Amino acid sequence: MSLGWNTESALLPSKAKKIDVDSSSMLDLKAIVSEREELMRQRQAEKHPDELRQHRGVATAPARPDDFARVNRGIEARKEADDFNAKEAEKAVKSNNLERKAQVCRRNI
C-alpha cells in the first residue's frame, strides 16, 4: 500500500556509490580546506581579538555574581536553631543513658 510519493523514498534507501579519488587529489582538497579554515580563524581573530575560539549556538548572558552571593536571612537563624536543638537532643539522650545505667547498677547492688 502506498501512502504517497513522500514516503516512497523512505522505504528503501539507495545504495552508496563509491567514487574513486586519487590520494593526491585528497591531499590537495585537505590542503585547500585547511587554508580556508586558517583564513576564517584569522578573520575571526581580527574581529574579536580577545576571543580565541569561535562560539557556536546562542550566546547567553553571564550570570551576575551577586545572584549567587545573596544570603537568605532566615537560613542562618534556622541553622543555629537546628544546631541548638540537635545539641539539646544529644544531651537528653546521654542523660537518659546515664540514668538507665545508674538504675542497672542500683539493681545489681
Side-chain angles (χ1 to χ4, degrees), residues 38-66:
E38 186 61 32
L39 180 63
M40 291 299 291
R41 284 190 200 110
Q42 289 175 357
R43 287 183 183 168
Q44 186 70 20
E46 289 172 0
K47 288 181 184 177
H48 305 286
D50 55 341
E51 295 180 13
L52 297 178
R53 59 185 178 146
Q54 181 179 4
H55 296 286
R56 295 185 182 184
V58 178
T60 58
R64 294 179 292 171
D66 53 298

mmCIF file of all heavy atoms in Angstrom, residues 38-66:
data_model
loop_
_atom_site.group_PDB
_atom_site.id
_atom_site.type_symbol
_atom_site.label_atom_id
_atom_site.label_comp_id
_atom_site.label_asym_id
_atom_site.label_seq_id
_atom_site.Cartn_x
_atom_site.Cartn_y
_atom_site.Cartn_z
ATOM 1 N N GLU A 38 42.060 28.247 8.240
ATOM 2 C CA GLU A 38 43.024 29.188 8.829
ATOM 3 C C GLU A 38 42.647 30.616 8.506
ATOM 4 O O GLU A 38 42.749 31.509 9.351
ATOM 5 C CB GLU A 38 44.434 28.860 8.332
ATOM 6 C CG GLU A 38 45.516 29.681 8.982
ATOM 7 C CD GLU A 38 45.599 29.485 10.485
ATOM 8 O OE1 GLU A 38 45.301 28.381 10.960
ATOM 9 O OE2 GLU A 38 45.951 30.467 11.179
ATOM 10 N N LEU A 39 42.202 30.859 7.273
ATOM 11 C CA LEU A 39 41.776 32.195 6.868
ATOM 12 C C LEU A 39 40.580 32.645 7.704
ATOM 13 O O LEU A 39 40.525 33.795 8.162
ATOM 14 C CB LEU A 39 41.429 32.202 5.376
ATOM 15 C CG LEU A 39 40.972 33.526 4.786
ATOM 16 C CD1 LEU A 39 42.106 34.555 4.877
ATOM 17 C CD2 LEU A 39 40.546 33.339 3.344
ATOM 18 N N MET A 40 39.642 31.731 7.950
ATOM 19 C CA MET A 40 38.474 32.066 8.772
ATOM 20 C C MET A 40 38.891 32.356 10.219
ATOM 21 O O MET A 40 38.365 33.281 10.841
ATOM 22 C CB MET A 40 37.453 30.930 8.742
ATOM 23 C CG MET A 40 36.772 30.743 7.398
ATOM 24 S SD MET A 40 35.844 32.197 6.892
ATOM 25 C CE MET A 40 34.536 32.156 8.084
ATOM 26 N N ARG A 41 39.837 31.607 10.737
ATOM 27 C CA ARG A 41 40.318 31.859 12.101
ATOM 28 C C ARG A 41 40.976 33.234 12.193
ATOM 29 O O ARG A 41 40.798 33.954 13.175
ATOM 30 C CB ARG A 41 41.307 30.771 12.521
ATOM 31 C CG ARG A 41 40.655 29.478 12.884
ATOM 32 C CD ARG A 41 41.652 28.509 13.515
ATOM 33 N NE ARG A 41 41.134 27.161 13.428
ATOM 34 C CZ ARG A 41 41.618 26.203 12.657
ATOM 35 N NH1 ARG A 41 42.695 26.420 11.931
ATOM 36 N NH2 ARG A 41 41.060 25.023 12.620
ATOM 37 N N GLN A 42 41.755 33.590 11.178
ATOM 38 C CA GLN A 42 42.417 34.895 11.183
ATOM 39 C C GLN A 42 41.391 36.019 11.129
ATOM 40 O O GLN A 42 41.512 37.017 11.844
ATOM 41 C CB GLN A 42 43.390 34.997 10.015
ATOM 42 C CG GLN A 42 44.625 34.149 10.167
ATOM 43 C CD GLN A 42 45.509 34.179 8.920
ATOM 44 O OE1 GLN A 42 45.164 34.796 7.927
ATOM 45 N NE2 GLN A 42 46.657 33.503 9.004
ATOM 46 N N ARG A 43 40.377 35.863 10.282
ATOM 47 C CA ARG A 43 39.336 36.894 10.197
ATOM 48 C C ARG A 43 38.590 37.013 11.510
ATOM 49 O O ARG A 43 38.261 38.113 11.946
ATOM 50 C CB ARG A 43 38.364 36.550 9.067
ATOM 51 C CG ARG A 43 38.941 36.771 7.700
ATOM 52 C CD ARG A 43 37.915 36.488 6.639
ATOM 53 N NE ARG A 43 38.505 36.625 5.304
ATOM 54 C CZ ARG A 43 37.926 36.221 4.200
ATOM 55 N NH1 ARG A 43 36.748 35.624 4.238
ATOM 56 N NH2 ARG A 43 38.519 36.379 3.035
ATOM 57 N N GLN A 44 38.320 35.887 12.137
ATOM 58 C CA GLN A 44 37.628 35.906 13.425
ATOM 59 C C GLN A 44 38.489 36.583 14.484
ATOM 60 O O GLN A 44 37.992 37.335 15.309
ATOM 61 C CB GLN A 44 37.277 34.474 13.852
ATOM 62 C CG GLN A 44 36.432 34.379 15.092
ATOM 63 C CD GLN A 44 35.019 34.875 14.871
ATOM 64 O OE1 GLN A 44 34.544 34.952 13.755
ATOM 65 N NE2 GLN A 44 34.363 35.223 15.951
ATOM 66 N N ALA A 45 39.789 36.320 14.463
ATOM 67 C CA ALA A 45 40.692 36.930 15.442
ATOM 68 C C ALA A 45 40.793 38.429 15.222
ATOM 69 O O ALA A 45 40.955 39.193 16.181
ATOM 70 C CB ALA A 45 42.071 36.282 15.348
ATOM 71 N N GLU A 46 40.693 38.879 13.975
ATOM 72 C CA GLU A 46 40.733 40.314 13.698
ATOM 73 C C GLU A 46 39.469 40.996 14.202
ATOM 74 O O GLU A 46 39.530 42.110 14.717
ATOM 75 C CB GLU A 46 40.890 40.552 12.196
ATOM 76 C CG GLU A 46 42.265 40.191 11.666
ATOM 77 C CD GLU A 46 42.324 40.255 10.139
ATOM 78 O OE1 GLU A 46 41.290 40.575 9.509
ATOM 79 O OE2 GLU A 46 43.397 39.974 9.602
ATOM 80 N N LYS A 47 38.325 40.332 14.068
ATOM 81 C CA LYS A 47 37.062 40.914 14.528
ATOM 82 C C LYS A 47 37.007 40.964 16.044
ATOM 83 O O LYS A 47 36.606 41.957 16.635
ATOM 84 C CB LYS A 47 35.877 40.096 14.012
ATOM 85 C CG LYS A 47 35.622 40.248 12.538
ATOM 86 C CD LYS A 47 34.412 39.428 12.134
ATOM 87 C CE LYS A 47 34.195 39.475 10.637
ATOM 88 N NZ LYS A 47 33.059 38.627 10.232
ATOM 89 N N HIS A 48 37.399 39.869 16.686
ATOM 90 C CA HIS A 48 37.348 39.761 18.144
ATOM 91 C C HIS A 48 38.699 39.271 18.645
ATOM 92 O O HIS A 48 38.894 38.084 18.865
ATOM 93 C CB HIS A 48 36.250 38.783 18.576
ATOM 94 C CG HIS A 48 34.905 39.123 18.025
ATOM 95 N ND1 HIS A 48 34.165 40.167 18.512
ATOM 96 C CD2 HIS A 48 34.180 38.567 17.019
ATOM 97 C CE1 HIS A 48 33.032 40.243 17.835
ATOM 98 N NE2 HIS A 48 33.023 39.292 16.920
ATOM 99 N N PRO A 49 39.643 40.166 18.858
ATOM 100 C CA PRO A 49 40.985 39.718 19.253
ATOM 101 C C PRO A 49 41.040 39.069 20.636
ATOM 102 O O PRO A 49 41.912 38.253 20.903
ATOM 103 C CB PRO A 49 41.807 40.993 19.230
ATOM 104 C CG PRO A 49 40.828 42.098 19.312
ATOM 105 C CD PRO A 49 39.562 41.599 18.710
ATOM 106 N N ASP A 50 40.083 39.405 21.530
ATOM 107 C CA ASP A 50 40.131 38.820 22.867
ATOM 108 C C ASP A 50 39.527 37.422 22.916
ATOM 109 O O ASP A 50 39.747 36.684 23.860
ATOM 110 C CB ASP A 50 39.416 39.718 23.870
ATOM 111 C CG ASP A 50 37.998 40.033 23.449
ATOM 112 O OD1 ASP A 50 37.684 39.864 22.257
ATOM 113 O OD2 ASP A 50 37.208 40.456 24.313
ATOM 114 N N GLU A 51 38.782 37.052 21.899
ATOM 115 C CA GLU A 51 38.208 35.711 21.851
ATOM 116 C C GLU A 51 39.035 34.843 20.920
ATOM 117 O O GLU A 51 39.214 35.149 19.760
ATOM 118 C CB GLU A 51 36.766 35.760 21.355
ATOM 119 C CG GLU A 51 35.841 36.488 22.304
ATOM 120 C CD GLU A 51 34.430 36.513 21.767
ATOM 121 O OE1 GLU A 51 34.137 35.772 20.821
ATOM 122 O OE2 GLU A 51 33.639 37.288 22.310
ATOM 123 N N LEU A 52 39.549 33.752 21.427
ATOM 124 C CA LEU A 52 40.415 32.904 20.623
ATOM 125 C C LEU A 52 39.656 31.830 19.860
ATOM 126 O O LEU A 52 40.111 31.349 18.855
ATOM 127 C CB LEU A 52 41.459 32.235 21.517
ATOM 128 C CG LEU A 52 42.407 33.189 22.215
ATOM 129 C CD1 LEU A 52 43.357 32.400 23.095
ATOM 130 C CD2 LEU A 52 43.181 33.994 21.195
ATOM 131 N N ARG A 53 38.489 31.458 20.346
ATOM 132 C CA ARG A 53 37.757 30.411 19.649
ATOM 133 C C ARG A 53 36.365 30.909 19.308
ATOM 134 O O ARG A 53 35.823 31.796 19.949
ATOM 135 C CB ARG A 53 37.679 29.145 20.478
ATOM 136 C CG ARG A 53 37.017 29.333 21.793
ATOM 137 C CD ARG A 53 37.080 28.071 22.595
ATOM 138 N NE ARG A 53 36.442 28.361 23.879
ATOM 139 C CZ ARG A 53 35.750 27.500 24.550
ATOM 140 N NH1 ARG A 53 35.622 26.290 24.105
ATOM 141 N NH2 ARG A 53 35.211 27.821 25.687
ATOM 142 N N GLN A 54 35.812 30.311 18.313
ATOM 143 C CA GLN A 54 34.510 30.709 17.837
ATOM 144 C C GLN A 54 33.429 30.084 18.700
ATOM 145 O O GLN A 54 33.480 28.912 19.028
ATOM 146 C CB GLN A 54 34.341 30.261 16.390
ATOM 147 C CG GLN A 54 33.027 30.656 15.778
ATOM 148 C CD GLN A 54 32.925 30.203 14.340
ATOM 149 O OE1 GLN A 54 33.809 29.537 13.843
ATOM 150 N NE2 GLN A 54 31.852 30.549 13.690
ATOM 151 N N HIS A 55 32.451 30.894 19.089
ATOM 152 C CA HIS A 55 31.345 30.397 19.895
ATOM 153 C C HIS A 55 30.229 29.971 18.962
ATOM 154 O O HIS A 55 29.873 30.679 18.031
ATOM 155 C CB HIS A 55 30.836 31.477 20.846
ATOM 156 C CG HIS A 55 31.855 31.890 21.848
ATOM 157 N ND1 HIS A 55 32.201 31.092 22.907
ATOM 158 C CD2 HIS A 55 32.627 32.986 21.946
ATOM 159 C CE1 HIS A 55 33.119 31.699 23.619
ATOM 160 N NE2 HIS A 55 33.400 32.841 23.054
ATOM 161 N N ARG A 56 29.671 28.821 19.246
ATOM 162 C CA ARG A 56 28.559 28.340 18.441
ATOM 163 C C ARG A 56 27.312 28.312 19.280
ATOM 164 O O ARG A 56 27.355 28.134 20.482
ATOM 165 C CB ARG A 56 28.855 26.943 17.914
ATOM 166 C CG ARG A 56 30.009 26.955 16.966
ATOM 167 C CD ARG A 56 30.206 25.609 16.366
ATOM 168 N NE ARG A 56 31.370 25.673 15.480
ATOM 169 C CZ ARG A 56 31.757 24.681 14.742
ATOM 170 N NH1 ARG A 56 31.130 23.549 14.774
ATOM 171 N NH2 ARG A 56 32.810 24.810 13.963
ATOM 172 N N GLY A 57 26.195 28.459 18.636
ATOM 173 C CA GLY A 57 24.926 28.403 19.342
ATOM 174 C C GLY A 57 24.529 29.779 19.837
ATOM 175 O O GLY A 57 25.076 30.807 19.438
ATOM 176 N N VAL A 58 23.587 29.801 20.732
ATOM 177 C CA VAL A 58 23.038 31.045 21.242
ATOM 178 C C VAL A 58 23.924 31.559 22.365
ATOM 179 O O VAL A 58 24.290 30.832 23.273
ATOM 180 C CB VAL A 58 21.606 30.806 21.774
ATOM 181 C CG1 VAL A 58 21.036 32.086 22.345
ATOM 182 C CG2 VAL A 58 20.733 30.265 20.670
ATOM 183 N N ALA A 59 24.268 32.824 22.268
ATOM 184 C CA ALA A 59 25.091 33.430 23.309
ATOM 185 C C ALA A 59 24.217 33.704 24.526
ATOM 186 O O ALA A 59 23.095 34.189 24.408
ATOM 187 C CB ALA A 59 25.709 34.727 22.804
ATOM 188 N N THR A 60 24.707 33.382 25.695
ATOM 189 C CA THR A 60 23.964 33.614 26.922
ATOM 190 C C THR A 60 24.677 34.680 27.733
ATOM 191 O O THR A 60 25.895 34.813 27.684
ATOM 192 C CB THR A 60 23.859 32.333 27.766
ATOM 193 O OG1 THR A 60 25.178 31.871 28.052
ATOM 194 C CG2 THR A 60 23.101 31.256 27.011
ATOM 195 N N ALA A 61 23.904 35.425 28.456
ATOM 196 C CA ALA A 61 24.475 36.465 29.299
ATOM 197 C C ALA A 61 25.151 35.811 30.491
ATOM 198 O O ALA A 61 24.647 34.828 31.040
ATOM 199 C CB ALA A 61 23.382 37.413 29.774
ATOM 200 N N PRO A 62 26.298 36.322 30.900
ATOM 201 C CA PRO A 62 26.965 35.730 32.068
ATOM 202 C C PRO A 62 26.140 35.958 33.334
ATOM 203 O O PRO A 62 25.439 36.956 33.454
ATOM 204 C CB PRO A 62 28.302 36.477 32.134
ATOM 205 C CG PRO A 62 28.068 37.746 31.407
ATOM 206 C CD PRO A 62 27.036 37.456 30.362
ATOM 207 N N ALA A 63 26.207 35.020 34.236
ATOM 208 C CA ALA A 63 25.467 35.123 35.484
ATOM 209 C C ALA A 63 26.056 36.230 36.332
ATOM 210 O O ALA A 63 27.264 36.404 36.404
ATOM 211 C CB ALA A 63 25.519 33.803 36.232
ATOM 212 N N ARG A 64 25.169 36.979 36.962
ATOM 213 C CA ARG A 64 25.638 38.043 37.835
ATOM 214 C C ARG A 64 26.155 37.426 39.131
ATOM 215 O O ARG A 64 25.481 36.571 39.719
ATOM 216 C CB ARG A 64 24.514 39.019 38.135
ATOM 217 C CG ARG A 64 24.066 39.767 36.889
ATOM 218 C CD ARG A 64 22.945 40.681 37.220
ATOM 219 N NE ARG A 64 21.788 39.847 37.564
ATOM 220 C CZ ARG A 64 20.670 40.319 38.076
ATOM 221 N NH1 ARG A 64 20.537 41.600 38.307
ATOM 222 N NH2 ARG A 64 19.674 39.522 38.358
ATOM 223 N N PRO A 65 27.322 37.820 39.588
ATOM 224 C CA PRO A 65 27.873 37.201 40.795
ATOM 225 C C PRO A 65 27.028 37.465 42.032
ATOM 226 O O PRO A 65 26.992 36.671 42.945
ATOM 227 C CB PRO A 65 29.263 37.810 40.926
ATOM 228 C CG PRO A 65 29.236 39.037 40.094
ATOM 229 C CD PRO A 65 28.217 38.811 39.024
ATOM 230 N N ASP A 66 26.308 38.603 42.075
ATOM 231 C CA ASP A 66 25.535 38.899 43.268
ATOM 232 C C ASP A 66 24.310 37.994 43.392
ATOM 233 O O ASP A 66 23.746 37.865 44.463
ATOM 234 C CB ASP A 66 25.117 40.370 43.292
ATOM 235 C CG ASP A 66 24.408 40.789 42.027
ATOM 236 O OD1 ASP A 66 25.043 40.720 40.958
ATOM 237 O OD2 ASP A 66 23.230 41.182 42.095
#
